[in-house]
Amino acid sequence: MCDVCGCGDPKLVPVDVHARLLEHNDHGAAHNREHFRRHGLVAINVMGSPGAGKTALLEATARRLGGFRQLTALAGDLATERDAERLRVAGIPSSAITTGQACHLDADMVHRALHHVEWPQADYLFIENVGNLVCPAIYDLGQEANVVALSVTEGEDKPLKYPVMFRHADLVVLTKTDLLPVLDFDWVALKEALVRVMPAPRLIAVSARSGEGMGAWAEWLEARRPSPSQKVQVAS
Amino acid sequence: MCDVCGCGDPKLVPVDVHARLLEHNDHGAAHNREHFRRHGLVAINVMGSPGAGKTALLEATARRLGGFRQLTALAGDLATERDAERLRVAGIPSSAITTGQACHLDADMVHRALHHVEWPQADYLFIENVGNLVCPAIYDLGQEANVVALSVTEGEDKPLKYPVMFRHADLVVLTKTDLLPVLDFDWVALKEALVRVMPAPRLIAVSARSGEGMGAWAEWLEARRPSPSQKVQVAS
């Protein structure tokens, strides 16, 4: 079993190893969060399955918000820098975090990667996590909010089958809605699943391709921004 | 970092913990494999992202092969028994492995679950792993072959971005091909990615919905079966 992903088998993995790992991570995440808040930066941890459309969502976000907000991103993947490259082409200064065999980002990886992007000037830092609907959920990175991208082709039952991820989500962005006409998608089943799993269910449906729903997503992001008074307060 | 998924940070996780886990698992997998071979059973480890269409592939396999082969299955998920229920409805005697927070199956979980299905009489045992394109790859379950289900909506670059999974794959089944007419799918990019990552690249494209490609998949499965002489040899 996988101790670090939250399922330590006490026969094989000493409990203190697991506790030490998460404690170390929480310490790093608190440090990142302090940095972000001091600079009035909104950090968003974007999670989801491989191919859920995380990068496409951020590309479309650049088209929507890039004209009046400063965006920056870190893109996590086991191998290749493809996502960071795509985001740079879309106009988001980005750095890749190549994890090797690691199935999720942690606070240290994020901290080290911050040296490669001009984050203090940015309004938003998008941290695109490794595509994985399990392990990233329990690693705090110092983000302001957790967003889970779920594509319409993945199935309405995913919140019930991967409850840890959806329990930690502040928002679910349902992606690829342009494919709905060719699918038998059950909205009621998805909403019932989210209500059962999320502490405060919130769903925005978007198509990065057509731009549908991107306004609601941009509004949600803007509502996460600190008011000017809060910024001064934190910085003083 | 995640020691058990193959990315141990030696600062935090003692190397011997990781080694002990994998060694314990390999021992269990060898034991499972011996069982399967003695009974002339072909065990297939079916992996892929959440929503890649693993269960739908097995439902379609039941329609194709269920009339003349005895199929059985174990279905791994963090929560719910939905996949096992779907497979039973499709005519495959199945048992659920509910992993809680664990991001992959291991050999012990499979061994324990075998007590709940009549596997010795079966021709095939499908082990549907937890939906995850990272962690399940390094855990041997005692299977005859690893199959990775990749849906056409996930993107042609997945083999490059999740190389560990595809390096361990004996076959990639490209699923949901009925959606190809509404996608900009790049076959050349997918094939080039597979050639770069898989030791012996093999791809079968299927639609569980239309049945397209299911014949090639059934042939591939049948070619995994031991010849009668091999069965006798192993059993004697």
Side-chain angles (χ1 to χ4, degrees):
Chain A
M1 293 196 203
C2 190
D3 68 318
V4 184
C5 301
C7 53
D9 181 343
K11 292 193 308 295
L12 297 167
V13 181
V15 174
D16 68 312
V17 170
H18 188 200
R20 195 160 70 235
L21 273 166
L22 282 181
E23 193 188 322
H24 177 88
N25 187 71
D26 284 348
H27 181 78
H31 184 67
N32 290 349
R33 187 168 284 114
E34 196 190 321
H35 274 323
F36 299 151
R37 292 200 173 156
R38 182 169 300 153
H39 287 86
L41 173 71
V42 181
I44 305 286
N45 182 10
V46 183
M47 299 180 281
S49 303
K54 298 178 289 299
T55 313
L57 174 67
L58 298 182
E59 288 171 326
T61 306
R63 292 193 287 275
R64 186 86 193 189
L65 278 180
F68 66 105
R69 294 290 181 215
Q70 189 85 29
L71 314 180
T72 185
L74 302 174
D77 257 314
L78 274 73
T80 85
E81 299 209 353
R82 286 173 165 249
D83 288 351
E85 283 161 17
R86 280 175 60 185
L87 295 175
R88 284 194 288 265
V89 169
I92 307 179
S94 303
S95 183
I97 304 178
T98 308
T99 66
Q101 296 199 15
C103 53
H104 59 271
L105 297 181
D106 66 25
D108 275 356
M109 295 181 202
V110 168
H111 191 258
R112 285 196 299 271
L114 287 174
H115 296 124
H116 304 292
V117 286
E118 297 290 326
W119 63 273
Q121 292 92 317
D123 298 304
Y124 292 99
L125 170 68
F126 295 103
I127 307 169
E128 185 182 335
N129 220 307
V130 176
N132 183 333
L133 217 47
V134 187
C135 318
I138 65 163
Y139 280 78
D140 186 7
L141 307 177
Q143 69 277 359
E144 188 63 33
N146 280 329
V147 171
V148 177
L150 173 71
S151 65
V152 293
T153 57
E154 285 176 66
E156 306 83 352
D157 59 354
K158 290 299 163 293
L160 302 177
K161 292 166 71 178
Y162 299 83
V164 182
M165 175 60 71
F166 289 86
R167 200 177 298 135
H168 283 80
D170 297 292
L171 172 70
V172 171
V173 176
L174 185 71
T175 61
K176 310 192 190 185
T177 56
D178 50 283
L179 294 178
L180 285 173
V182 295
L183 300 172
D184 307 315
F185 191 81
D186 187 340
W187 281 100
V188 174
L190 175 65
K191 287 178 181 172
E192 279 179 359
L194 291 176
V195 164
R196 280 175 62 183
V197 176
M198 289 177 79
R202 184 75 204 271
L203 173 72
I204 294 175
V206 307
S207 165
R209 215 192 230 180
S210 73
E212 189 193 1
M214 290 301 296
W217 160 241
E219 274 175 34
W220 184 90
L221 285 171
E222 288 290 289
R224 303 278 84 65
R225 299 197 70 223
S227 64
S229 64
Q230 278 178 306
K231 271 198 210 182
V232 174
Q233 220 176 357
V234 176
S236 66
Chain B
M1 294 196 202
C2 190
D3 68 319
V4 185
C5 300
C7 52
D9 180 344
K11 291 193 308 296
L12 299 167
V13 181
V15 173
D16 68 313
V17 169
H18 188 200
R20 195 161 67 235
L21 273 164
L22 283 181
E23 193 187 323
H24 178 89
N25 187 71
D26 285 348
H27 181 78
H31 183 66
N32 290 348
R33 187 168 283 114
E34 196 190 321
H35 274 323
F36 299 151
R37 291 199 173 158
R38 183 169 301 155
H39 288 85
L41 174 70
V42 180
I44 305 285
N45 182 11
V46 183
M47 298 180 281
S49 302
K54 298 179 288 299
T55 313
L57 174 68
L58 297 182
E59 288 171 327
T61 306
R63 292 193 288 276
R64 186 86 194 190
L65 279 180
F68 66 103
R69 294 289 181 215
Q70 188 85 31
L71 314 180
T72 186
L74 302 174
D77 257 313
L78 274 72
T80 86
E81 299 209 354
R82 286 173 165 249
D83 288 352
E85 283 162 18
R86 279 175 60 185
L87 294 175
R88 283 194 289 264
V89 169
I92 307 180
S94 302
S95 183
I97 303 178
T98 308
T99 66
Q101 296 199 17
C103 53
H104 59 270
L105 297 181
D106 66 23
D108 274 357
M109 296 181 201
V110 168
H111 190 258
R112 284 195 300 271
L114 287 174
H115 296 124
H116 305 292
V117 286
E118 297 289 327
W119 63 273
Q121 293 92 317
D123 297 303
Y124 293 99
L125 170 68
F126 296 103
I127 308 169
E128 185 182 334
N129 220 307
V130 176
N132 184 333
L133 217 46
V134 186
C135 318
I138 65 163
Y139 281 79
D140 187 6
L141 307 177
Q143 71 276 2
E144 188 64 31
N146 280 330
V147 171
V148 178
L150 174 71
S151 65
V152 292
T153 58
E154 285 177 66
E156 306 83 351
D157 59 354
K158 291 299 163 291
L160 301 177
K161 291 167 71 179
Y162 299 84
V164 181
M165 176 59 72
F166 288 87
R167 200 176 298 135
H168 284 81
D170 296 294
L171 171 70
V172 171
V173 176
L174 185 72
T175 60
K176 310 191 190 186
T177 55
D178 50 284
L179 295 177
L180 285 173
V182 297
L183 300 172
D184 306 315
F185 191 81
D186 187 340
W187 280 100
V188 174
L190 175 64
K191 287 179 181 171
E192 279 179 359
L194 291 176
V195 165
R196 279 175 62 184
V197 175
M198 290 177 78
R202 184 76 203 271
L203 173 73
I204 294 175
V206 307
S207 165
R209 214 191 230 180
S210 73
E212 190 193 1
M214 291 301 295
W217 160 241
E219 274 175 35
W220 184 89
L221 286 171
E222 288 289 290
R224 304 277 85 65
R225 300 196 70 221
S227 63
S229 62
Q230 277 177 307
K231 273 198 209 184
V232 175
Q233 219 173 0
V234 177
S236 65

